[in-house]
């Protein structure tokens, strides 16, 4: 088409560049988009670009450790660029206690923390980080099979918590029923609206405590909680 005009990407309005770059992954923004031109680099350095950090699908267990180190370095860089404005972060596989501490020290406004299958995050590391995140409203943990989780301390540290999702978290290779998690939730998290306890070992006693002490609860997911009996006696 002879009359077609070439687009100068550098001259796009900042608002449009911002919308385009938000569609890119964190690695693409850090490694590629910021090098396109000065205007794109300027937008990439805007703290508003880093209010949400999505770091899922960054690798698998079969990949080399240097890949995980690169992912962690990118995550730290993104946290730095947020300049304390980070509100939501989602990390899969490569998280560590050290990275979590780094995030907590620089992101006191964080509201959503989602961690999936991060074998190098311990219960103590999580607790130390969460105690600094007093504005946290959403905490999701998935596939932490051998984590000792101090839910009572987490509840006391995060009075604004509205969503808690625990997907196969804890020593669930044991065969004994246990209501410790449920009772801690009932005791310290009265403001919960959404609760997911997949694979937990709670019994009817723990379930009743949650129902009685969490009056705002709207969503309750108890899949694979084998010690609960909802059949009337």
């Amino acid at each position: 088409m002879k009359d077609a005009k070439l687009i100068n990407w550098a001259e796009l309005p900042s608002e449009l560049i911002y919308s385009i770059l938000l569609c890119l992954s964190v690695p693409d923004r850090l490694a590629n988009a910021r090098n396109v031109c000065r205007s794109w680099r300027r937008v990439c350095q805007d703290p508003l670009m880093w209010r949400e950090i999505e770091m899922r699908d960054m690798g698998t267990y079969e990949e080399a450790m240097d890949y995980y180190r690169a992912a962690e370095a990118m995550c730290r860089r993104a946290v730095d660029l947020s300049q304390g404005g980070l509100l939501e972060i989602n990390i899969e596989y490569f998280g560590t206690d050290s990275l979590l501490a780094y995030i907590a020290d620089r992101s006191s406004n964080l509201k959503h923390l989602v961690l999936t299958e991060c074998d190098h995050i311990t219960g103590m590391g999580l607790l130390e980080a969460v105690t600094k995140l007093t504005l946290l409203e959403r905490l999701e943990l998935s596939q932490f099979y051998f984590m000792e989780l101090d839910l009572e301390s987490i509840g006391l540290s995060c009075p604004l918590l509205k969503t808690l999702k625990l997907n196969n978290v804890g020593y669930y290779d044991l065969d004994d029923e246990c209501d410790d998690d449920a009772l801690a939730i009932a005791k310290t998290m009265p403001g919960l609206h959404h609760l997911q306890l997949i694979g937990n070992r709670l019994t009817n006693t723990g379930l009743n405590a949650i129902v009685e002490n969490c009056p705002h609860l709207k969503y309750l997911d108890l899949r694979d909680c084998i010690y609960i009996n909802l059949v009337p006696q």
Side-chain angles (χ1 to χ4, degrees):
M1 297 177 61
K2 295 182 179 180
D3 296 332
K5 294 183 179 179
L6 295 177
I7 298 175
N8 186 340
W9 293 97
E11 295 180 355
L12 292 175
S14 295
E15 296 79 5
L16 184 54
I17 297 175
Y18 181 87
S19 297
I20 292 172
L21 296 186
L22 277 180
C23 296
L24 301 180
S25 68
V26 169
D28 280 339
R29 277 183 253 163
L30 289 176
N32 300 317
R34 66 194 303 269
N35 296 321
V36 169
C37 59
R38 290 181 180 178
S39 58
W40 282 44
R41 185 181 186 87
R42 184 173 59 253
V43 173
C44 281
Q45 291 176 329
D46 187 339
L48 292 177
M49 177 63 60
W50 306 100
R51 297 179 71 181
E52 301 178 16
I53 298 175
E54 186 83 10
M55 299 288 285
R56 296 185 303 157
D57 303 321
M58 296 295 297
T60 65
Y61 287 124
E62 290 74 24
E63 303 211 46
M65 286 306 297
D66 57 351
Y67 188 88
Y68 287 111
R69 285 192 287 269
E72 180 167 343
M74 283 189 287
C75 188
R76 289 174 183 252
R77 177 57 178 156
V79 170
D80 289 341
L81 288 169
S82 74
Q83 296 184 22
L86 181 62
L87 299 179
E88 303 179 20
I89 189 164
N90 188 336
I91 296 174
E92 187 174 57
Y93 296 138
F94 67 88
T96 63
D97 282 350
S98 175
L99 175 60
L100 205 53
Y102 192 88
I103 294 168
D105 287 339
R106 292 159 178 78
S107 309
S108 59
N109 294 309
L110 193 68
K111 293 185 178 182
H112 295 181
L113 175 61
V114 182
L115 304 171
T116 302
E117 212 164 347
C118 300
D119 280 358
H120 297 286
I121 291 179
T122 65
M124 181 57 68
L126 176 67
L127 179 60
E128 290 177 354
V130 166
T131 55
K132 302 174 184 178
L133 303 173
T134 57
L135 299 182
L136 203 64
E137 296 179 0
R138 184 187 191 97
L139 176 62
E140 295 186 31
L141 305 175
S142 295
Q143 316 302 328
F144 287 85
Y145 292 104
F146 303 104
M147 174 183 280
E148 281 193 64
L149 196 58
D150 187 349
L151 282 176
E152 183 170 338
S153 295
I154 289 175
L156 291 172
S157 300
C158 305
L160 302 181
L161 203 62
K162 292 182 175 62
T163 297
L164 177 66
K165 295 188 177 183
L166 304 180
N167 181 355
N168 294 318
V169 176
Y171 286 92
Y172 297 133
D173 58 332
L174 301 178
D175 293 329
D176 297 333
E177 58 191 38
C178 180
D179 283 313
D180 289 351
D181 290 349
L183 295 178
I185 291 170
K187 181 178 180 181
T188 63
M189 304 180 190
L192 284 181
H193 289 202
H194 297 80
L195 176 61
Q196 182 180 80
L197 296 174
I198 296 179
N200 197 275
R201 292 181 288 138
L202 82 163
T203 68
N204 284 28
T205 299
L207 176 58
N208 289 332
I210 290 173
V211 172
E212 291 174 2
N213 292 280
C214 299
H216 304 290
L217 206 58
K218 299 178 181 178
Y219 174 89
L220 180 61
D221 186 347
L222 300 174
R223 281 175 285 169
D224 297 328
C225 294
I226 62 175
Y227 297 108
I228 291 179
N229 182 11
L230 299 179
V231 179
Q233 300 296 320

